[in-house]
Structures are given as C-alpha cells and as structure tokens.
Amino acid sequence: MNTEEFQAIYIMWLRQMKRFIRSRSRLVATIVQPLFFLVILGSGLRSAVMPGMVGDDYLAFLAPGIIAMAILFSSMFTGISVLWDKQFGFLQEVLVAPVSRFSIIMGRTLGGATTALIQGFIILFIAFSLGIPIAGISGLLLTIAFMVLLSFTAVGFGLVLASKLENFQGFQIVMNLIIMPLLFISSAFFPIATNPDIPNIIAKLSFFNPLFYAVDGIRGSLTGINNVVNPLIDFVIVLVICIFMLGLGSYLFSKSEV
Amino acid sequence: MGDRILEIIKTNNLTKKFNGFTAVDHISFSVREGEIFGFLGPNGAGKTTTIKMLTTLLYPTEGSAELSGFDVIKKRDKVRKHIGVVFQEPALDTELTGRENLDFHARIYGLDKDNRKKRAAEVLKLVNLEGKKDVLVKKYSGGMKRRLEIARGLMHYPTVLFLDEPTLGLDTQTRRAIWEYIKKMNKEEKTTIFLTTHYMDEADYLCDRVGIIDHGKILVIDSTTSLKNAVGNDVITLSCSDLDELGKRLGDESWIKNIKQHDTFLTLGVKKGEEKIPVVFEIARSLNIKIKSISVRKPTLDDVFLHFTGRTMRGQEERNTGRESRPPIFRSRRR
Ligand SMILES: Nc1ncnc2c1ncn2[C@@H]1O[C@H](COP(=O)(O)OP(=O)(O)OP(=O)(O)O)[C@@H](O)[C@H]1O
Ligand SMILES: [Mg+2]
C-alpha cells in the first residue's frame, strides 16, 4: 500500500474524529445514556439478588454489559452514517477520488472504533470508580481487545445495513426489532444461560447470539466472575464474527454505485 | 500533423440502462482540450447519468468512453486522478469548515503538505472565499457552497472539470459571479470544462460548443451561435385576433426562418427582430387582423429545443415529473 492510501485512511479517520467532537449532542447522548443505565440501574439494584448470578454485586455484573452496549451503539452509528453521507451527497466526493474503497472503509472503521473506545473507556473508568472488582492486568488488556473487536464488528454491521437500507425508518426498525432483543438475550443486563427463571429455549438461543460472546468475553476478562464461557473461547468466536462482518460490510460498500 | 486538436473526452456509443429503461442511448461525442463544452437538455435527459459514467461512478451498460486517453472502465484510478467533479447535488461535509473540506480533498488526492497549503490559498482566492474559510460549511449560503465546491474541484489540478448544473437555484448575481470563475479557470488554469445546464443563457455565455441532449440522445452538437442562428437570432412572440390567418400569411415571408403556431400565440424566428415588428404590423393591418400583443426576445433553450425536437421543454417536464419514480436518495436537491 502506498502513502496515498495511508493519507486517505488518515483523513477519513480525522474527519470522523472532528465530526464526533463537534457534535455535542451525540457526544452527550452516547455517554449519558449508558451512564444512566450503569449508575441508576447498577446502583439501584446493587444488592438485589439476581437469579442465576454468582456473588452479590450486580453493578459488577452490569458494567461489562453496559460497556458492550455503548460500543455497539456508537460503532453501528458510524457504519450506518454512510447513509447520511449518501443522503447529503458527500459519499460521491469520496467515491470519485483515486483511492481504493478498502482505504475508505479502513479510515471509517478506525474512526468509528476510536470514538467507540473513547466512550467505552469513559464507562470503564466510571465503573472502576464505583468500585467494581477487576481480575488483573492481562484481563484488562483482553477486555480492550474485546472492545476493539466488538467495535469493528458493529461498524461492519452498520455498513451492511447502510448498503441494504434506503432510509432511516429502516434503521429504526432494525434497532427495535433486531438489536434490542439481541441485547436483552445477550446477558448484558441479567443472566440468561444460568438463569433458572428463563425458558430453556431462550437460554439455548442465546448461544446463537453473537452479542452474547462479546458481553460474556468482556465480563470474563474484566471481572472474571459470572462468565459462562472461557474468555479465550469467546475471543476466538468474536474474532471470527468480526472478520466475517467487516468483510461483508466492506464488500457490500465497495459494490455500491452512487 | 502535430497540431491536431487533442480530444480529451471521447465516447463511443455510450449507453446506460436502468432496469430496461434507457437513460443514455448510444451517444458518441468528443470534447477538445481546453474548451468549455456544454450538455444542454431538460430534466431527465440523461445529463447527470452521462457525467456519472464519465467520472467512473456508474458502469456503462454498453459502449465506451475515454478520458485523457484512459478508458473509464478499465483505468478507473487513472481517470479519477485527472478529473475534478462538481456534482449536481451538494457534496460537502457541512460539519467541517471550508478549509477542512479542501484539506480533506487534497489529502485524498495525495497532495503533499506544501502543495495543500499553497493550492488551497490559490483556489480560495479564485472563488473569493478567503474570508470564510474557517467557517463551518453549514453556515454558508447556497452560492458560497457552490463556489467552495468549484474551488475544491480544482484543488488537484484536474485536466477536466465536470460541472453538473453549476448555477442551479442560484440568484442572478451569484450565477454571473460563478460564470466568471468558470471562465477564469478555463483561461488561467487551462482546464477543459464539461458542464451541463438547462439554461440557454448559461450555455451561450460559457460554452464554445454545446450538445443538445434529450431522452438520452444527442440531437445536435454545435456552437451556440449556430444553434441560435438555426432558430433565428431573435424570436418574436405575438397574439392577435386571427392566429390561423396571420400565421398562414407570414408563412410565405422568406425573412422568417421559422414559424410556429401555439394555442394562443405565434412565434417567429427572425434576424433583427426590432426592425421586423413594423413589418408584421403592416401585414396584419392589410389582412384586417388586430395584434393584441407583441414582443421580441433572444432565443432561449426552449426555442432551440423546440426547433430541434418539435416539442417544448415545458410540456415534457410536466410529463416527466408525472412519472418520476426515482428513490428519494437520487432526487436532486436544490439548495
Ligand atoms: N439510479 C437510477 N435508477 C433508475 N433510474 C434512474 C437512475 N438515475 C437516473 N435515472 C433515470 O434516468 C433518466 C436520466 O436521469 P439524469 O439524472 O441523467 O437526468 P438529467 O439530465 O441529469 O436531469 P436533471 O436536469 O433533472 O438533473 C431519468 O429518467 C431518471 O429517472
Ligand atoms: Mg442532472
């Protein structure tokens, strides 16, 4: 790859960052919403007994789920924002330039991942200050790796949506009918697979939910309790899903005409 | 001979079909180095589709096109390096400043640091936007946005600049200013310009040669002067008490290049229109016909169009909007 392609990746990334910093409302909304979840839900239910949960610290259980949720939403937004670029014509400016589609996707993905990670870290930091236990340094590094992978995956999914959807109503429908249910059975908010009150069929289904492995992986590596699967196995599964999703997203994007 | 005029754009039976509907229909034409060439045509004629094929954004269904000798299908990257495009719809990032939009463009076209700075200053000066360069584009007016887009199109020293309806929806003053910039860059930077428009005055003022396009076909390519001469240098429009009678009588006059009867008026294509008005009055009086109103004007695209197609553009546009079925994303947005 020559320097021009790197320039293109860099400027796509920089644009993403500038837009992120300048759009205050988005900045606030994407940080405040997960914080509400974490602080209000987490503190409010901190000493409640959750069916299927090990230990008695609900906040420690919830924090990984909220980190995953924040990264998921933020990154999906980056992917789907291709639709905005299309609507506002800017996509043409990008597509008519003499750089490969691959660099364009790379720049956008890295930009999306950076913003998502910033948000993820803010939540992580707040969770620490609220006193959640951490498993150790290597666990923390693995957590970050999970965050990056989840972010890439979600950008890829956003790209897939952007190339398939015509407008933003479609996006709303996908959010409400696909993403929210997936999030609910991902064990982000409460235990699923180990929960005696959850119907067996849903518990089984949750193992087909890609989000489950991301949430479970972050939980396993960060706090080391309440995870269902070994974090390294989670990692391999998430990695495979990530490569697939990003590949599909890039493919569909590169096929698109303006 | 060595001084043969270089053909910088050359198409051969270029065609685009959208699900069986032919938007551009086997067009063959060429644009010479250094000229301002215009595509003149009504809504839906296929102007934008042609530009999108020439700028590698759409694959032709059939036929071929070359730009600076590079095939638009096989040598996309080479073509992309040589062209600048100002799209019909605005294509700026409104969350960035003018300067940042230029910087984005410069980097994505691989300009080095010194060049980026120098060139940005140059093009901003060309379109008189130096004072606004650090303002967010969402705070620009429509005309300022257009000027910025033109400046941006020039950033990377393109050989050919495509301008898709450069002054659509702008006020007269801004249009004039933009015309001046276009002339200036054609002269000073030796940029070949391919523009589309549906304004006759625009084509007339800017273009060396014009192609009239309708329903995806090129009807004629010529200089604007010749096109207008075909209609008559002036157009007289008149209404009177007996259109049929007067029309028939005037049809015999040799100084009338062409005559067309509409529902409530007649149009005559003539030379030196002002001098012909008294003559028309004279003839009408001899037939005892009363002229209710009469005017002389320069021919518009409508007249030229009428001459070459036998239809008015207006009637056609109405029919077109009636069957507009493009998804909203493709609908042109007016600023
Ligand atoms: N992506 C598309 N899918 C289907 N039909 C299309 C598409 N793009 C253009 N068309 C059709 O092709 C025809 C030519 O469109 P085009 O945009 O090239 O016209 P135009 O000359 O640029 O018109 P205007 O002056 O309105 O910009 C129109 O009938 C239009 O509906
Ligand atoms: Mg058009």
Side-chain angles (χ1 to χ4, degrees), chain B residues 18 21 23 42-49 88 165 198 326 330 334:
Chain B
F18 294 111
F21 169 77
N43 288 133
K47 304 183 295 290
T48 301
T49 308
Q88 181 168 350
E165 316 229 8
H198 50 243
R326 275 187 272 179
F330 294 104
R334 314 271 127 115

Side-chain angles (χ1 to χ4, degrees), chain A residues 15 19 22 87-88 93, chain B residues 90 93 95 100 105 333:
Chain A
R15 166 172 182 250
R19 287 179 68 101
R22 282 183 198 164
Q87 192 103 59
F88 290 105
E93 151 79 357
Chain B
D93 187 335
E95 300 293 326
E100 285 169 340
H105 187 89
R333 264 170 291 118

